[in-house]
Amino acid sequence: KRREVMTGAAEMSKALDVVFLTVDGKELPAIRAYMGLDGRDPAIAIYNFKTDEKFVYDGKFSAEAIHGFAAHYEDGTLEPTIKSQPVPESNDGAVKIVVGSTWDQIVNDTSKDVIIEHYAPWCKHCLKLEPVYVALAKSFKSSKGIVFAKMDGTANDAPLGFRAKGFPAIQLYPAGEGSQMVEYPEEADRSFEDLKKFVLKNVVNPIDGGDEKKEL
């Protein structure tokens, strides 16, 4: 039944610039997770290799409906799917938790300077950075215009152009309309002192609590 439906959809979509593939999700769990397909059966999605955009299908499992999905992708009317964990019920820590669906609300708040760490749960360097990053956030706790955040980059999508190329990755989004993101150099030391210099050099909002912004 499934093979018949997918073969039928592929036949109908021959004129489209879309390649149909079937994979065994049980044998390739990493692909399901990356595409945000966990818990879906059947799991159908379009992936754009050039832009890293994902389009997850939620419609009827029929050849006609799936062909329509592919056709909407082809004509540009299909919105990409943003992979996101659930919004945390509590988010009052020194480091705010960002998920795919709250990026705009937290990171794109132009009234704040936002520093965000992209991490992976399995990354040893991320685990080593964690206590340093928390201590850094706490050292700015009196500066209400500065927000420290983190996001699991394996379970959530940042907007295109702002996704981490590796883990951990630290980005700073200065306050103000039209400001440009500043990325902490990948090869730089991730010590408390060096990270604090990076923050002090690039934030726009005033530093409170005894810390003063200075030229570095």
Side-chain angles (χ1 to χ4, degrees):
K1 171 69 175 178
R2 292 191 183 191
R3 184 174 295 276
E4 290 177 9
V5 169
M6 294 306 294
T7 300
E11 286 292 329
M12 293 178 185
S13 305
K14 277 184 176 180
L16 304 179
D17 189 19
V18 177
V19 177
F20 281 73
L21 299 171
T22 58
V23 297
D24 187 337
K26 293 180 180 178
E27 293 184 3
L28 298 169
I31 290 180
R32 290 183 67 98
Y34 184 72
M35 295 291 291
L37 297 173
D38 285 339
R40 293 175 178 270
D41 185 26
I44 300 171
I46 294 174
Y47 179 66
N48 187 317
F49 284 88
K50 291 182 179 179
T51 65
D52 193 32
E53 289 177 305
K54 310 169 187 73
F55 302 81
V56 176
Y57 180 64
D58 278 321
K60 182 181 178 182
F61 188 63
S62 71
E64 293 78 9
I66 296 169
H67 163 65
F69 171 67
H72 285 307
Y73 167 77
E74 180 88 348
D75 65 23
T77 59
L78 204 61
E79 289 292 325
T81 304
I82 302 298
K83 186 169 63 173
S84 179
Q85 292 176 303
V87 177
E89 293 183 6
S90 177
N91 205 5
D92 299 324
V95 178
K96 304 297 181 187
I97 298 171
V98 173
V99 296
S101 62
T102 61
W103 178 282
D104 189 61
Q105 173 190 345
I106 298 175
V107 182
N108 290 348
D109 182 352
T110 57
S111 71
K112 309 285 188 183
D113 293 291
V114 181
I115 302 93
I116 184 166
E117 176 206 357
H118 300 252
Y119 73 94
W122 42 259
C123 169
K124 292 182 179 179
H125 294 295
C126 300
L127 293 174
K128 183 179 179 181
L129 174 62
E130 177 71 10
V132 177
Y133 191 67
V134 171
L136 181 69
K138 288 181 176 179
S139 75
F140 285 94
K141 65 180 180 180
S142 297
S143 301
K144 303 305 181 185
I146 300 175
V147 173
F148 284 82
K150 66 178 182 179
M151 185 175 80
D152 180 349
T154 68
N156 301 279
D157 285 336
L160 292 176
F162 300 99
R163 296 179 182 175
K165 299 179 179 66
F167 303 112
I170 297 172
Q171 300 169 337
L172 190 151
Y173 293 80
E177 294 288 345
S179 61
Q180 297 296 310
M181 181 267 285
V182 185
E183 193 153 12
Y184 191 74
E186 184 180 349
E187 69 281 0
D189 185 33
R190 301 187 191 96
S191 67
F192 177 89
E193 293 77 14
D194 285 345
L195 286 167
K196 189 158 190 174
K197 287 179 182 179
F198 170 74
V199 173
L200 289 171
K201 182 178 180 179
N202 291 291
V203 295
V204 174
N205 286 324
I207 306 297
D208 300 321
D211 283 325
E212 293 182 0
K213 185 175 180 181
K214 54 184 179 293
E215 295 297 327
L216 295 167

